[in-house]
Amino acid sequence: MKKLLKAWNSLSLVKQIIIGLILGIILALIAPEKLSAISMLGNLFVGALKAVAPVLVLFLVTSAIAQHKHGQKTNLKAVLVMYIVGTIAAGTIAVLMSFVFKLKLSLPNSSGTDITPPSDISEVMLTLLNNIVSNPIGALADANYIGILAWAVLLGIALRMASPATKNFVQDLSNAMSKIVKWVIRFAPLGVMGLIFATIAETGIGSLRSYAKIIVLLVGCMLIDALIINPIIVFIATRKNPYPLVFRCIKDSGITAFFTRSSAANIPVNMELCKALDLDEDTYSISIPLGATINMGGAAITISILTMAAVYTMGISVTVPEAIILCILSAVSACGASGVAGGSLLLIPMATSLFGIPADIAMKVVGVGFIVGVIQDSCETALNSSVDVLFTAAADERKKRLSAE
C-alpha cells in the first residue's frame, strides 16, 4: 500500500486527473447502479470548492490591490492598460465565439431546476447593483461573488495606506487561502472521477462529446487570442513586428507554465526572461507578480465560454447588451483568478449569477471545468503567464520609442 501511495504521489496532478477521468468512465460503463456511491466524491469535491472560493476571491483581490506602493516611478500604467485591454478583448472573443457555436453542457441532475432568468437588461443591471452593495458578511455567506469582488476592491484601495505589517498580514491570509485551494485541488482526481461517473451514469457515454467540443472551443479561442489579438495590441504599442517577441514569450514562459499550470509558480521564470530581455527591473519586479494575479486573458475566455454554455444549457436567451456586460464582468472576475491550477474555474459562479443560474448548477459547471481542465487549464496558464512578459516588454519598448521621438 505504501509503495502504491508513493507511486501515486510521484505522478503529476495532470496525470492523476487523467487516471481519475478514465476510471470514472470505466466504472460508469461497468456498474453504474452498484457503484453509485462514487458520485459522492464529485459532490464532496464541488462542495469543498464552493466553500473555499468566496474567501479566496476576497483575500486574493484585496492583497493584490493593497500591495501597490505610492510614489514608485515605473512604467506600470502602460502595462496595466494592456493587461486590461487584453483581458477584455479575450473575454469578448470568447463570447462572440460562443454566440456562433452555442455549445451546451451535460450536467447531472440539472433538468427540472427552478430558474427564473432575467427578463431584460435592466433586470440584469439591477441584480448587478444590488449584489455590489450587499453586506460583505452576507456576500461571503451567500457566495455573492459580485459583492465579494466589490468589497475586495474597496478594501484593497483602503489598505494601500496601511502599515507594512498590515499589508503583510493580508498577504499571508491570501497565501494561506491559496494553500488551502491547493489542498482541495489535490483531491481533483477523485472529484473528477465522481463527476464523470455521475454524468455518464445519468446521461450516457454520448455526453462526452459535449466536453470535446468545449475543449476545442476553449483552446481555439486561446490560440486566436495568443496569435492574433495580443500581437495586434503589441504592434499598436511598439510599431514593430510583434511575432518574434510573441514566440519568444511562448517558448521561454508559456511552455513552462503549460506544465506547471500555475501563474504564481511561473513568476521566477518570467523574471528571468524579463532580465534576459533587458527590461526595466523597476517595472517588471511589480508587473510580473501583479500580472500573475490580474492579467488573466485565458481565465476570461474560460469564464465566458463556460458561462455561455451554462446559459444555453439552461435554455436562457442572451441579448447583445447582456453579452457586453458578460465580456466586462469576465475580465473583472478573471482579475480575481487564483495563481494556482484551476483558479479561474472558481470565478464562474459570479458570471452565471448574472443570468439567474443557482450556485448548485454553477458549481457543477465548475466541475465540468475540472474535467476539461487537463487541457484547458494548461493552455490557459500558458497564455496568461506568457502574456505577462509580452505586455511588460511591449510597454518597455513603447517607452523607449516615445523617448526617441
Side-chain angles (χ1 to χ4, degrees), residues 269-305:
V269 175
N270 283 351
M271 290 287 199
E272 287 297 320
L273 178 55
C274 287
K275 185 177 181 180
L277 293 171
D278 195 26
L279 304 183
D280 182 6
E281 186 175 357
D282 288 337
T283 299
Y284 74 73
S285 63
I286 300 174
S287 67
I288 295 302
L290 191 62
T293 302
I294 69 170
N295 182 36
M296 294 288 175
I301 289 172
T302 298
I303 293 167
S304 296
I305 287 179

Side-chain angles (χ1 to χ4, degrees), residues 33-55:
E33 295 182 0
K34 293 182 179 179
L35 301 175
S36 59
I38 293 177
S39 61
M40 291 180 58
L41 295 174
N43 295 333
L44 290 172
F45 181 62
V46 169
L49 291 174
K50 191 174 178 181
V52 71
V55 185

